[in-house]
Amino acid sequence: MQTLFGNKSSTQTPLASAPVCAISVDQTGAVVDQSPSSEPLIMAWHDQDADLKDVVTASRASGSIADGRLCLQDGRRFSLTGVAQGKRVLIVAQDTTVGDRMTEALLKSRALLKDLLDRAVDLSFEVDADRRFTFVSPSDAFGHSLDDWLGRSADNFFWQDGKIPARNPFSSRKPTEFEAVAINTGDGKKGWASFSVHPVFDDGGEFKGVRGVCRDVSAQVAGDKQTRSDNVRLALHQRIVNLLNTTHSAEELLDRASSELKEVLRADQVWAVVKFKEGLVPAAICGESSFLPNTDRIWEQLANSDKPVAEVSDGDMSHLAVRLEEAGKGIGMLVMSRDTDQFPWSRQEKTLLEDLIGSLAAAFGKAQLINRLERLSSLDELTGIMNRRAFVDAAERRLQHQSRSGQSGCLLFVDLDHFKEVNDTLGHLAGDQAIQLVADTMQTLVRACDIVGRYGGDEFVVWLEDIEPADAALKARSLIDAMPSIRDQIGGSDLRLSASVGVCPSVPGLDLKFADLSERADKALYEVKNAGRSNVALATAPSLTETVAVGGMV
């Protein structure tokens, strides 16, 4: 499994390689995980520091984020952030010792404050009413000399890309502090600067310009962004790990993982798509829209990309998609969508997904494992296909899912005609063999995303995912055409054993229970029986009462 900060062995803890100072404590107060630089937090926790315990208590009580401060006996100081994660609380600390001491020094004396400010700024300036520099100090700042500054428009210097902020520091009519203003001083150099400005007026009150100081805070802003990004990655990684440990349903696991990504990435829609041998099947959809992207086209674009995370096109729309693999084999993908005209995908968001690939792949892998285990524990003893209870549960989960995806499937009710004749003529062992052969035949007709079950006795049910009714009827016809071969195999070629099939298409959003479909499918099957058996009938929509035969009624 890949951790948040790189490829590690599956036994390594989530915080083992985290660059931040962090620990995780459980409900008993035991430290269950820690980063390499966690020594200050470990020391304070063992000393039962009251401030640290308050952050943990507040975070656990609110179920969200709590902030606090930590002061060690050796003089070091830290800001604390507690994040509730189920029964655990993650605490991240940031060393603020230098900043705190600087603030205290500034507050001691106005003279000292002035001296420190003079030393802290990168540029002192004055501009006229047209925002042209009339004074700058020192003579070399932001990589430019004095000759480059004087007489030059401040706008053209700080925003050479033309993206001048609406709140321009050089036009301020009152003393103002501007924190972390985005700047572009040319040569592709982008950054941030803070401004402290004071307007200048003549005796008549006419605006003459602005005086002030400026400091390059690019490194600080970048560091703060990186810290926030690390915290988000760490928190999201922990939440997904928690899902892996606490979620026991494949559908719930993928639903909750998609929901976490939707929240963090501010997406409008997230689709979790599972790759089967026969094709791609949307397994979870998070969002309000019923729109379904062209999954085959997106999968192909990801396969041709040299990166696992990429922006992909889907007609007039574009999405952010991540391909997930297990042992070098694609097992699925996540597709995220939002209004990229207003909010383009950022490099940070793509990096976040890249860092989470291991955890997301683990979630997909566990979902597939849960499905396999559910199938093994829900099989009919004679045929090896699903029993009635397991099939009904699985079919209802598909119906709930399609109410959001807008896809439609088909339910097939299969009943063997004249089956009693087999038992009466050849014996029950031949009857069991016939049941097994029918189940085996149906297994060859379906895809990995479809499900087959024995409903009871000589009755079978099939759910065909995302298929047109006419194609479902053709599969049913293939089963009927296979019945002569089954009669030959059991040694009863002269028997009348055959199959009748009722096909019922589902209506997304309307059919939410198995009973909603089974009644219509059973009515279609009854029509076949009345018309002579060994045929297929297609049930109509819920608002209609007629059934339409496929291929004609016998």
Side-chain angles (χ1 to χ4, degrees):
M1 185 177 73
Q2 183 183 23
T3 68
L4 181 59
F5 298 95
N7 290 319
K8 304 293 180 185
S9 68
S10 61
T11 59
Q12 190 177 38
T13 62
L15 293 178
S17 60
V20 295
C21 176
I23 63 173
S24 180
V25 298
D26 62 17
Q27 70 272 25
T28 69
V31 176
V32 294
D33 200 358
Q34 63 188 80
S35 67
S37 59
S38 62
E39 175 266 335
L41 283 175
I42 293 292
M43 185 190 332
W45 187 252
H46 287 164
D47 291 342
Q48 296 187 345
D49 182 273
D51 294 331
L52 179 54
K53 291 176 65 177
D54 287 345
V55 170
V56 173
T57 301
S59 178
R60 182 171 283 128
S62 65
S64 60
I65 296 175
D67 297 317
R69 303 284 299 174
L70 173 64
C71 298
L72 299 182
Q73 292 181 355
D74 60 7
R76 287 181 293 171
R77 304 178 185 182
F78 299 83
S79 65
L80 302 175
T81 301
V83 183
Q85 297 175 332
K87 295 182 179 180
R88 298 182 178 183
V89 175
L90 173 69
I91 309 103
V92 179
Q94 184 175 4
D95 194 333
T96 61
T97 306
V98 175
D100 290 348
R101 289 176 177 174
M102 178 66 75
T103 301
E104 292 171 358
L106 291 175
L107 295 176
K108 287 181 179 178
S109 163
R110 286 191 175 186
L112 180 59
L113 176 61
K114 182 179 183 302
D115 181 63
L116 290 174
L117 283 175
D118 288 342
R119 293 174 183 270
V121 301
D122 293 304
L123 180 70
S124 299
F125 62 85
E126 183 173 340
V127 297
D128 60 20
D130 294 322
R131 299 198 289 273
R132 291 189 299 264
F133 286 112
T134 58
F135 167 81
V136 292
S137 178
S139 59
D140 188 4
F142 290 94
H144 292 266
S145 63
L146 180 64
D147 293 338
D148 295 331
W149 294 83
L150 296 180
R152 183 176 178 179
S153 168
D155 294 346
N156 292 337
F157 180 83
F158 280 102
W159 300 288
Q160 292 186 13
D161 56 3
K163 297 179 180 179
I164 303 172
R167 294 181 67 246
N168 193 322
F170 301 103
S171 299
S172 181
R173 284 343 193 236
K174 61 181 180 180
T176 309
E177 302 288 334
F178 295 83
E179 301 290 340
V181 178
I183 62 173
N184 182 329
T185 57
D187 301 327
K189 296 180 180 178
K190 297 182 179 180
W192 291 268
S194 64
F195 296 86
S196 178
V197 298
H198 195 288
V200 178
F201 300 93
D202 62 16
D203 294 339
E206 182 180 355
F207 177 70
K208 303 298 293 183
V210 171
R211 293 172 182 164
V213 293
C214 171
R215 185 162 61 92
D216 186 348
V217 295
S218 299
Q220 175 184 333
V221 171
D224 291 344
K225 284 190 173 184
Q226 185 61 47
T227 298
R228 289 195 296 271
S229 178
D230 289 344
N231 289 341
V232 168
R233 281 202 301 271
L234 186 60
L236 183 56
H237 175 76
Q238 289 289 89
R239 285 152 72 176
I240 292 177
V241 169
N242 185 57
L243 291 182
L244 289 172
N245 294 332
T246 60
T247 307
H248 304 292
S249 159
E251 288 79 7
E252 182 186 2
L253 177 57
L254 295 181
D255 273 339
R256 291 179 61 186
S258 300
S259 179
E260 296 284 4
L261 287 178
K262 177 179 179 295
E263 176 185 346
V264 172
L265 296 175
R266 299 168 298 150
D268 296 327
Q269 200 84 3
V270 176
W271 297 271
V273 183
V274 176
K275 177 68 169 69
F276 290 103
K277 179 180 178 181
E278 294 80 5
L280 297 158
V281 177
I285 298 177
C286 184
E288 298 299 326
S289 173
S290 61
F291 165 76
L292 187 67
N294 188 324
T295 53
D296 291 328
R297 179 188 301 166
I298 293 174
W299 182 262
E300 182 179 357
Q301 292 179 63
L302 279 175
N304 294 328
S305 174
D306 58 351
K307 295 182 179 180
V309 177
E311 288 193 58
V312 295
S313 61
D314 181 17
D316 296 332
M317 301 185 66
S318 63
H319 311 288
L320 188 62
V322 53
R323 174 187 169 97
L324 302 173
E325 296 184 348
E326 187 177 71
K329 179 182 178 182
I331 59 174
M333 65 179 176
L334 285 154
V335 182
M336 287 132 285
S337 179
R338 72 184 184 204
D339 186 353
T340 51
D341 290 337
Q342 296 291 327
F343 307 104
W345 297 109
S346 68
R347 178 65 258 173
Q348 290 83 358
E349 290 170 323
K350 295 176 184 177
T351 300
L352 172 64
L353 278 177
E354 290 171 356
D355 290 338
L356 290 171
I357 283 178
S359 297
L360 294 172
F364 268 63
K366 181 174 180 180
Q368 290 184 334
L369 176 61
I370 291 173
N371 277 329
R372 288 195 292 269
L373 292 175
E374 286 180 343
R375 291 198 179 202
L376 289 174
S377 64
S378 308
L379 300 184
D380 175 66
E381 184 176 352
L382 176 62
T383 62
I385 60 178
M386 281 187 174
N387 57 36
R388 177 171 180 164
R389 177 192 56 78
F391 182 91
V392 172
D393 289 344
E396 291 196 342
R397 289 197 297 269
R398 298 294 180 93
L399 292 172
Q400 293 290 336
H401 168 69
Q402 75 170 21
S403 69
R404 293 173 292 168
S405 70
Q407 291 177 301
S408 177
C410 285
L411 177 68
L412 275 59
F413 254 36
V414 180
D415 184 66
L416 300 185
D417 305 318
H418 308 294
F419 180 72
K420 184 175 183 298
E421 185 179 286
V422 176
N423 287 332
D424 293 344
T425 304
L426 302 177
H428 288 283
L429 288 179
D432 287 348
Q433 184 184 8
I435 292 293
Q436 291 172 327
L437 290 171
V438 170
D440 292 343
T441 301
M442 289 194 296
Q443 290 279 61
T444 66
L445 299 177
V446 300
R447 305 156 296 175
C449 57
D450 303 326
I451 51 177
V452 179
R454 186 181 179 192
Y455 202 60
D458 59 351
E459 296 177 318
F460 298 85
V461 278
V462 182
W463 171 265
L464 299 175
E465 183 81 15
D466 188 23
I467 192 171
E468 293 297 325
D471 294 329
L474 289 176
K475 288 183 178 291
R477 173 59 62 186
S478 297
L479 173 62
I480 294 173
D481 293 342
M483 293 306 297
S485 174
I486 292 175
R487 293 197 298 267
D488 290 340
Q489 292 181 68
I490 64 174
S493 57
D494 58 339
L495 298 179
R496 293 179 297 167
L497 179 66
S498 61
S500 297
V501 185
V503 178
C504 182
S506 64
V507 180
L510 180 61
D511 293 321
L512 300 178
K513 295 292 183 181
F514 177 79
D516 297 340
L517 288 178
S518 62
E519 182 178 357
R520 301 203 303 275
D522 193 50
K523 287 182 178 178
L525 179 62
Y526 181 76
E527 293 294 329
V528 177
K529 292 282 190 180
N530 279 348
R533 308 184 183 186
S534 189
N535 212 331
V536 185
L538 177 65
T540 57
S543 59
L544 303 177
T545 57
E546 298 178 354
T547 57
V548 179
V550 178
M553 299 290 293
V554 175

